[in-house]
Structures are given as C-alpha cells and as structure tokens.
Amino acid sequence: EVKKIAQIILENDNGEFLLYLRDGKPGIPFPYHWDLIGGHVEEGETPEEALIREVKEEIDFDLKDYSFFKEYLCLEGDAYPNIKYIYSGRIALPIEEIPLLEGERLQFFTKEEIPDVKFANILKRIMLDYIESR
C-alpha cells in the first residue's frame, strides 16, 4: 500500500514560504534537507485531519484556513513510494514566535530563493509548480 503524506505550503504576508530543516539523526531520510510542515496520514484519518494534526505537532499552530493545491504520486525520488497531498495556507507570525517541535530550525524563503534550496525528495518541483501556478 502506498503511504499518504499531507503537507502544507505556509506563506507569510511578505509572500515568503515557511520551511523547516530536517535533523541529522542516524537513519533519517534526507538529513539536513529543507521540508514542508506536515507528515503521514494515519489509518482512519483524512489527509485534512492529518494535516491539521501534524501542523499542531510540528509548530504548535492551529491551522484553520487552508486550501488544497495538488496531489502528487511520488513513485521515485523519496524514501518510499507515496502520495503527497499538498495544501497551501497563511501564517502571519514572525519566525521567532513559531516553535519548531521537530527538526533543526525554521526559516522563511522568498520565491527567488526556492530554486537554490536543498529540498527533501520531490519538494523542489512541487514548490516551483506552486509558484508558477500563482
């Protein structure tokens, strides 16, 4: 069975995107690569429920307003085959007011910086798709 992942492209009022740096724990896929907030859809959960839960678990943020962007079938370039449910939303908090509960650190990136970011798996393509779709 293909795993399901729900992640969100969070954007601030300056049009910058919130990413987090994965840590370097032994065995972790894509150590020290940038990633979107989100995670696995558990058994019996919808992607939306997983998204809200993961955002709360990772940055202690109660996600209220978000919209579905696109679904990506990711059969290669990741740790295992998966379907990514990608959403977008807004976050108006300054970086120092967003706690990161998993990973190394958070950072906002401008759309001009995105092509040079060292992303986990297929996220660079997803981010560029998103930026082009606007």
Side-chain angles (χ1 to χ4, degrees):
E1 190 190 351
V2 177
K3 286 186 161 60
K4 294 177 180 168
I5 294 170
Q7 292 183 294
I8 188 160
I9 298 169
L10 285 169
E11 203 174 336
N12 68 13
D13 295 336
N14 302 323
E16 297 168 322
F17 303 108
L18 184 66
L19 302 175
Y20 84 96
L21 189 62
R22 297 171 65 83
D23 61 41
K25 290 193 190 108
I28 189 175
F30 304 102
Y32 302 120
H33 285 59
W34 293 93
D35 204 345
L36 290 172
I37 303 296
H40 290 106
V41 181
E42 308 287 353
E43 197 63 45
E45 240 181 357
T46 66
E48 287 81 10
E49 288 166 339
L51 184 71
I52 289 165
R53 174 182 55 75
E54 286 280 351
V55 169
K56 185 70 178 166
E57 285 174 9
E58 290 188 2
I59 58 169
D60 195 26
F61 182 71
D62 293 306
L63 185 64
K64 302 266 194 298
D65 298 318
Y66 57 92
S67 52
F68 180 69
F69 170 56
K70 231 185 226 184
E71 186 180 307
Y72 290 83
L73 181 59
C74 180
L75 296 178
E76 50 189 49
D78 207 341
Y80 40 75
N82 61 77
I83 298 171
K84 295 185 194 303
Y85 298 89
I86 305 293
Y87 296 82
S88 65
R90 313 287 293 183
I91 189 161
L93 296 168
I95 201 91
E96 51 283 348
E97 286 178 32
I98 310 170
L100 181 64
L101 307 174
E102 295 176 18
E104 287 282 307
R105 66 190 173 92
L106 287 164
Q107 190 174 319
F108 281 110
F109 290 87
T110 65
K111 68 176 193 292
E112 290 78 20
E113 290 172 313
I114 291 295
D116 299 318
V117 171
K118 186 174 150 191
F119 277 103
N121 59 68
I122 64 165
L123 286 175
K124 181 174 292 193
R125 176 161 74 84
I126 290 173
M127 288 299 299
L128 294 174
D129 271 3
Y130 180 75
I131 289 165
E132 274 171 33
S133 76
R134 314 284 298 284

